[in-house]
């Protein structure tokens, strides 16, 4: 019986993860602009004479031709038939530990926040692309870029922590207590036992990162940056219900 040729389609995407498959192939996890997160087999990319192996490394922005049905949500693997580099961001920070580990956390978070394969998520794609661009440019501390990404990503997922109002009753204002299970800042009347008491400047930093106020974020005291990172990571992992492997490796010194 003649083999039915697979449908070809194009998209651009971000390489989130690569896994070995057999002796010479790889499975590439991509977050694409139009088709969401998907996995595709790249044949022969681990061979030294591969035409496009170097273009399919983590954190790269690539233009692809894929073989497979883009409307199939069954989770089957597609195949990479062509790939061109748009921008290989990973090359800019391959030997920079803080930026590399922050990018790893961005990629893992992007994969976790897109749980359904091939479900379009343009805003998540744009947010992830912006974070990788910012890490490649190196204009801000890697941890600030990461925390901004995590806070905005949680906003897209509907998990944004309350910062300028009480998470329980909605009372406006900058409240002195923060409870991850409650959803963020809490007023004195709603404060549950065990709530944290971050510095007001820490909550101001979280608000600045959410809004993209880099002037405020870049001038924040390191102690407030570390406290912001701790609250942000705790809030994210509470909603994900399990930890991110890459977060403990991030350099927050």
């Amino acid at each position: 019986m003649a083999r039915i040729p697979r449908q070809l389609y194009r998209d651009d995407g971000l390489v989130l993860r690569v896994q070995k498959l057999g002796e010479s192939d790889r499975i590439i996890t991509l977050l694409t602009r139009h088709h969401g997160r998907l996995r595709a087999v790249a044949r022969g990319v681990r061979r030294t004479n591969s035409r496009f192996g170097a273009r399919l490394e983590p954190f790269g922005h690539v233009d692809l031709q894929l073989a497979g049905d883009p409307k199939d949500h069954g989770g089957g693997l597609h195949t990479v038939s062509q790939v061109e580099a748009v921008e290989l961001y990973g090359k800019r920070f391959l030997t920079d530990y803080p930026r590399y580990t922050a990018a790893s956390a961005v990629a893992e978070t992007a994969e976790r926040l897109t749980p359904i394969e091939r479900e379009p998520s343009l805003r998540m794609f744009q947010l992830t692309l912006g974070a990788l661009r910012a890490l490649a440019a190196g204009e801000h501390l890697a941890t600030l870029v990461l925390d901004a990404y995590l806070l905005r990503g949680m906003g897209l997922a509907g998990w944004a922590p309350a910062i300028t109002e009480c998470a329980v009753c909605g009372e406006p204002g900058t409240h002195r207590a923060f409870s991850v299970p409650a959803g963020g800042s809490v007023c004195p009347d709603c404060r549950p036992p065990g709530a944290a008491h971050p510095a007001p400047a820490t909550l101001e930093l979280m608000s600045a990162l959410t809004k993209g106020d880099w002037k405020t974020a870049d001038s924040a005291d390191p102690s407030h940056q570390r406290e912001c990172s701790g609250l942000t990571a705790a809030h994210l992992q509470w909603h994900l219900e399990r930890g991110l492997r890459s977060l403990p490796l991030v350099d927050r010194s």
Side-chain angles (χ1 to χ4, degrees), residues 151 154-155 158-187 198 202-204 206-207 210 231-232 235 239:
L151 287 164
M154 286 189 283
W159 306 334
I163 300 173
T164 58
E165 70 283 332
C166 176
V168 178
C169 70
E171 178 69 21
T174 302
H175 303 293
R176 292 301 306 273
F178 191 99
S179 171
V180 169
S185 296
V186 284
C187 69
T202 297
L203 297 177
E204 182 183 354
M206 294 178 73
S207 179
T210 301
L231 293 176
T232 301
H235 194 87
H239 285 283

Side-chain angles (χ1 to χ4, degrees), residues 43 58 93 106 241:
R43 304 289 185 191
F93 47 74
V106 165
E241 298 182 346

Side-chain angles (χ1 to χ4, degrees), residues 222-244:
S223 64
H224 299 145
Q225 293 179 17
R226 288 191 293 271
E227 192 171 40
C228 168
S229 295
L231 293 176
T232 301
H235 194 87
L236 173 68
Q237 293 181 110
W238 169 271
H239 285 283
L240 290 176
E241 298 182 346
R242 59 190 175 98
L244 294 174

Side-chain angles (χ1 to χ4, degrees), residues 93-108:
F93 47 74
L94 192 61
T95 59
D96 187 312
Y97 184 83
R99 289 195 286 166
Y100 184 87
T101 53
S104 298
V106 165
E108 186 180 358

Side-chain angles (χ1 to χ4, degrees), residues 9-15 30 33 55-56 60-66 80-88:
Y9 67 99
R10 297 199 72 88
D11 205 344
D12 66 306
L14 304 169
V15 179
L30 298 149
R33 185 182 299 273
R55 303 170 199 167
L56 289 172
H61 183 196
V62 292
D63 181 77
L64 305 127
Q65 179 174 274
L66 297 158
V80 178
S81 60
Q82 292 180 12
V83 59
E84 297 294 336
V86 178
E87 191 68 56
L88 301 180

Side-chain angles (χ1 to χ4, degrees), residues 187-219:
C187 69
D189 292 337
C190 299
R191 182 182 62 221
H197 292 80
T202 297
L203 297 177
E204 182 183 354
L205 173 58
M206 294 178 73
S207 179
L209 291 173
T210 301
K211 295 183 293 187
D213 178 3
W214 286 104
K215 182 178 180 180
T216 298
D218 289 336
S219 61

